[in-house]
Amino acid sequence: MIQTPYYLIDRARLARNMAVMDELRVASGAKCLLALKCFATWGVFGQMRAHMDGTTSSSLYELRLGREEFGGETHAYSVGWADHEIAEAVGYADKIIFNSIGQLERFDNASAHIARGLRLNPRFSTSGFDLADPARPFSRLGEWDAGKIKRVMDRISGFMIHYNCENADFDLFDRQLSQIEEEFGGLLRRLKWVSLGGGIHFTGEGYPVAKLAARLKAFSDRFGVQVYLEPGEAAITGAASLEVTVLDVMNNGKDLAIVDSSVEAHMLDLLIYRQPAKMETEGEHPFMICGKSCLAGDVFGEFNFPKPLQVGDRLSITDAAGYTMVKKNWFNGVKMPSIVIRELDGSLTVARAFGYADYKASLG
Ligand SMILES: Cc1ncc(COP(=O)(O)O)c(C=O)c1O
């Protein structure tokens, strides 16, 4: 048995998402770039590469990883490029997308030999979280003034417009895209490509993929642009779990189980968005599943089990791919979960294990 904790990536689940990805790409003509900010576990890029067109990034290091390990089309985006990064960035990128007109102008000469784009902020989004809402008041994420953008249209060939967030509602997507068409149509017609960003939950159960494809194709035909999507979550949803072992059980008014992992260190996104973890279990015995860090609120959630938990029991926490592995950290020096892949034949491959040397190297 592989020692816990470990993230377990399931190739069969990943393959299901990739099949939907293909369906959408073929029917819409849109290109799909993996958003590395969401998932960058490059050991499975080989499987994803056949079904996605490349990667998009949020920093120089993601950009480089995409170029080195995924290949295909490599889009470079960053909220802010530093002077010392730009030469290297344009060396890896097929297209560079600037967050502001200021950055586009600053790096005009340095980037003139590759395709360039600008992030457009349509000033609405589908995010319910202020923290993750690109349209929040005074948002720094992109330019929204068409008058200002007009003046730099001769330097760019595309826009990136990221405004969806786990949006499973096709009609909402349709309405909001129409709003963009209305407001920015004049500019869109002058472009060669438009990336509509990520956040469309098209691999979710029951999502009308054919409708989305037709809508994207209509957009592409109307404005004469190549459409890109930047799926993160949609690419890997449901494809990984965090496998942990119970180290101790207590009762402090409730039954508690302490596991060999930590929300703070290994599923940080749950704490940030104040959401409970997910576990497929039911039964008569409720337990609060707690992390082993010193943080009082290091709690995965409360779940029901068929029998009382005991030291040594193994638990599987689902939905551990997106925004999870990319945020893992060494808080409390808790052992970082290994990365394990469940192959299509069911066998397990340990892709990477982390130890004390990695912890120490991360700090000095
Ligand atoms: C610019 C951009 N593209 C793509 C994504 C990926 O979004 P998701 O993982 O929701 O598909 C994000 C997420 O924040 C983003 O900011």
Side-chain angles (χ1 to χ4, degrees):
M1 279 237 279
I2 297 169
Q3 193 185 315
T4 59
Y6 59 90
Y7 296 106
L8 178 61
I9 304 174
D10 188 324
R11 284 198 191 273
R13 308 283 290 262
L14 191 56
R16 188 216 151 259
N17 294 345
M18 292 298 108
V20 181
M21 194 75 66
D22 277 340
E23 189 187 332
L24 180 66
R25 288 161 75 221
V26 169
S28 68
K31 295 187 180 183
C32 290
L33 306 177
L34 176 66
L36 296 180
K37 71 187 69 188
C38 173
F39 182 80
T41 308
W42 47 273
V44 291
F45 282 1
Q47 181 181 353
M48 303 175 85
R49 192 180 294 132
H51 311 279
M52 300 189 75
D53 299 279
T55 55
T56 188
S57 50
S58 15
S59 67
L60 182 61
Y61 290 169
E62 279 190 359
L63 169 63
R64 180 174 172 179
L65 186 71
R67 168 56 75 210
E68 282 183 4
E69 295 296 334
F70 202 106
E73 274 191 63
T74 308
H75 283 200
Y77 167 74
S78 169
V79 170
W81 296 106
D83 289 3
H84 64 86
E85 292 179 325
I86 202 73
E88 195 181 341
V90 296
Y92 301 131
D94 293 295
K95 293 186 176 68
I96 187 161
I97 298 158
F98 293 104
N99 184 63
S100 72
I101 292 171
Q103 285 249 307
L104 171 63
E105 287 176 337
R106 180 171 189 82
F107 300 118
D108 191 11
N109 287 336
S111 63
H113 59 291
I114 64 167
R116 296 180 296 188
L118 185 65
R119 180 164 183 172
L120 174 74
N121 187 330
R123 291 209 279 175
F124 53 74
S125 83
T126 68
S127 176
F129 294 99
D130 179 55
L131 185 65
D133 181 1
R136 78 209 296 262
F138 315 112
S139 171
R140 71 195 185 298
L141 301 174
E143 298 278 0
W144 50 263
D145 183 332
K148 280 198 218 163
I149 297 170
K150 243 180 225 156
R151 296 202 284 274
V152 294
M153 286 301 284
D154 57 331
R155 299 190 210 179
I156 59 172
S157 55
F159 281 156
M160 186 269 275
I161 320 173
H162 170 76
Y163 60 104
N164 287 282
C165 183
E166 298 204 26
N167 182 8
D169 178 347
F170 170 74
D171 293 331
L172 176 62
F173 173 79
D174 180 25
R175 280 200 304 280
Q176 291 192 330
L177 190 58
S178 300
Q179 232 172 304
I180 290 172
E181 291 177 320
E182 282 291 299
E183 201 176 329
F184 298 102
L187 297 178
L188 295 173
R189 265 178 237 288
R190 296 171 61 185
L191 298 171
K192 293 198 173 104
W193 55 272
V194 173
S195 171
L196 295 172
I200 309 170
H201 206 51
F202 61 85
T203 51
E205 215 54 59
Y207 190 94
V209 180
K211 276 188 180 176
L212 174 65
R215 183 67 180 88
L216 295 176
K217 187 159 187 332
F219 177 85
S220 164
D221 291 345
R222 178 168 174 198
F223 297 101
V225 291
Q226 170 66 52
V227 171
Y228 288 86
L229 296 180
E230 303 177 359
E233 193 63 53
I236 47 69
T237 193
S241 57
L242 174 62
E243 304 293 313
V244 301
T245 299
V246 175
L247 300 178
D248 195 12
V249 288
M250 298 171 72
N251 187 303
N252 277 348
K254 272 185 182 177
D255 283 323
L256 313 174
I258 297 167
V259 299
D260 58 354
S261 175
S262 156
V263 187
E264 173 89 356
H266 306 155
M267 287 195 132
L268 181 61
D269 227 34
L270 296 177
L271 277 191
I272 295 175
Y273 292 101
R274 295 169 188 274
Q275 291 176 327
K278 294 180 198 152
M279 217 184 290
E280 284 164 14
T281 168
E282 51 188 41
E284 305 284 288
H285 301 277
F287 271 78
M288 184 185 276
I289 305 302
C290 310
K292 65 175 278 178
S293 86
C294 64
L295 182 76
D298 192 344
V299 173
F300 285 93
E302 294 188 41
F303 306 93
N304 294 315
F305 296 90
K307 54 186 188 149
L309 292 179
Q310 290 181 350
V311 172
D313 284 349
R314 289 205 171 204
L315 305 176
S316 179
I317 300 163
T318 57
D319 227 357
Y323 302 99
T324 304
M325 280 179 251
V326 289
K327 292 193 178 191
K328 62 193 164 62
N329 62 70
W330 284 107
F331 182 60
N332 267 212
V334 178
K335 187 183 180 317
M336 188 165 276
S338 306
I339 297 172
V340 178
I341 298 170
R342 182 183 284 130
E343 308 290 352
L344 291 173
D345 65 5
S347 63
L348 300 182
T349 306
V350 180
R352 178 83 155 96
F354 302 92
Y356 175 70
D358 299 299
Y359 165 63
K360 190 172 178 189
S362 75
L363 290 168

